[in-house]
Amino acid sequence: MKVKRNAQARQALAGAALVALALTACSSNPANTGSGELSGEVTIDGSSTVAPLSEAAAELFSDEQPQVKVSVGTSGTGGGFEKFCAGETDISDASRPIKDEEKAACEQAGVGYVELAVANDALSVVVNKGNTWVDCLNVDQLKKIWSPDSRVKTWQDVDPKFPAEPMKLYGPGTDSGTFDYFTDEINGEEGASRKDYESSEDDNVLVSGVASTRGALGYFGFTYYEENSDKLKALQVDGGDGCVEPSMETAQDGFYKPLSRPLFVYVAKKAVDRPEVKEFLGFYIEHIDEIVKEARYIPLTDEQKRTLADEFGSV
């Protein structure tokens, strides 16, 4: 899969001009200009939500530097930070900002890092394609379903107008940044959730569960919904201003409340001293629009791109 230089690609990259300038400023080492072939390994772990983005970057990068092995693991945002702060990985994918205790662990281990927002997400609440009785849920209803003391067993428990269809729940595990974000925004406390649901750090497992169960409801990143929209139905969410569907536009403009969010990669500063890591990171940032499009994510706004350029310039 080659990086295309057609008119459409040039137009998509226009908004990232400042990022490219930052890349040029940071790539004074001739070994990192892309003119020579590198070898070595770049290790990435963390969020399963962000993983497809890093995988797309790795695949495109391999066309330019085939001797550099880029591995992408999915142990969840929390699990990824454990490895990252222990010095076991170069880059950590994260679907939420780093926590204070994770910052302390990195500091204690002498792991300096830079946070880079690389895409946006509309965390999607999904049901089975055969669900014909609901198109929108408000935050109070979602809290009623997912709160630690929830007694919801059927759809009728949520709304008397709904059928007495048994509700089967699917969601990310406790190491997931998506779990942290959802519980904080919906239940009002990070980590507060009912425990009697099918959990997995692999979003594909959640997709399969919802797709195969008529009364199912689950939540995960927008990309996984979009890739499986033929067998899933995304619900609109009412955050207080009416029902809004998850989409690129509603995530970027902030209308999809409260479940739109940025997605991050955290880069260890010491790792960037290695030419293969610096080259990969530079490629990732310079081609961010292409990578986001390839992975079917929601792109950064112009303001976010300016911030990305500034943060990349500090590496």
Side-chain angles (χ1 to χ4, degrees):
M1 179 167 47
K2 298 291 183 183
V3 178
K4 297 179 174 61
R5 295 297 183 187
N6 55 26
Q8 184 178 4
R10 287 195 298 272
Q11 183 178 5
L13 284 170
L18 287 173
V19 176
L21 288 174
L23 172 70
T24 302
C26 291
S27 300
S28 58
N29 188 335
N32 299 327
T33 62
S35 58
E37 189 169 277
L38 297 172
S39 61
E41 184 173 2
V42 180
T43 56
I44 306 172
D45 206 321
S47 168
S48 62
T49 301
V50 184
L53 193 67
S54 290
E55 288 168 350
E59 185 176 353
L60 288 166
F61 180 70
S62 68
D63 289 339
E64 293 197 2
Q65 296 290 351
Q67 299 305 312
V68 177
K69 179 184 178 182
V70 181
S71 61
V72 182
T74 54
S75 58
T77 296
F81 276 132
E82 286 183 16
K83 295 180 180 181
F84 182 71
C85 293
E88 298 174 11
T89 57
D90 303 313
I91 297 171
S92 199
D93 290 337
S95 58
R96 58 156 172 82
I98 190 169
K99 296 179 180 179
D100 289 341
E101 58 265 32
E102 292 162 343
K103 292 179 182 179
C106 278
E107 184 176 354
Q108 185 175 2
V111 177
Y113 58 83
V114 174
E115 174 191 277
L116 302 173
V118 291
N120 291 302
D121 187 24
L123 201 160
S124 302
V125 179
V126 300
V127 295
N128 184 273
K129 202 75 169 179
N131 185 320
T132 59
W133 56 87
V134 62
D135 295 311
C136 176
L137 291 174
N138 61 42
V139 170
D140 287 341
Q141 289 173 315
L142 288 171
K143 184 175 182 179
K144 185 176 183 180
I145 294 168
W146 285 101
S147 66
D149 58 353
S150 176
R151 296 184 179 180
V152 171
K153 299 295 183 184
T154 72
W155 279 93
Q156 199 168 68
D157 295 332
V158 180
D159 188 322
K161 298 177 182 177
F162 296 158
E165 178 79 26
M167 180 181 285
K168 180 76 170 179
L169 296 174
Y170 294 85
T174 56
D175 274 340
S176 168
T178 298
F179 171 83
D180 292 335
Y181 187 88
F182 184 87
T183 53
D184 189 25
E185 294 295 335
I186 298 301
N187 294 335
E189 181 183 349
E190 190 175 290
S193 174
R194 65 189 296 171
K195 295 180 171 58
D196 57 336
Y197 70 97
E198 293 293 326
S199 67
S200 177
E201 305 298 345
D202 185 346
D203 290 337
N204 291 303
V205 173
L206 307 180
V207 168
S208 297
V210 177
S212 61
T213 309
R214 184 171 183 265
L217 178 142
Y219 66 92
F220 38 74
F222 179 73
T223 296
Y224 285 91
Y225 158 67
E226 193 172 43
E227 289 178 347
N228 297 278
S229 59
D230 59 327
K231 50 189 174 184
L232 298 173
K233 173 181 171 181
L235 297 183
Q236 300 173 43
V237 174
D238 183 352
D241 297 317
C243 295
V244 179
E245 65 179 356
S247 70
M248 180 178 72
E249 293 78 11
T250 60
Q252 285 185 324
D253 60 24
F255 288 161
Y256 183 65
K257 298 184 294 187
L259 296 179
S260 57
R261 58 178 178 168
L263 301 174
F264 306 94
V265 298
Y266 286 76
V267 184
K269 289 185 176 181
K270 289 182 180 178
V272 183
D273 291 338
R274 304 197 329 260
E276 67 273 19
V277 177
K278 186 172 184 178
E279 183 81 2
F280 172 72
L281 180 61
F283 181 92
Y284 202 144
I285 302 308
E286 183 183 10
H287 298 286
I288 191 63
D289 281 342
E290 291 173 88
I291 291 165
V292 167
K293 182 179 179 181
E294 180 67 29
R296 301 178 70 178
Y297 277 69
I298 298 171
L300 299 172
T301 64
D302 289 342
E303 182 178 354
Q304 287 175 312
K305 289 174 186 176
R306 286 191 289 269
T307 300
L308 178 61
D310 291 341
E311 294 295 338
F312 181 71
S314 70
V315 177

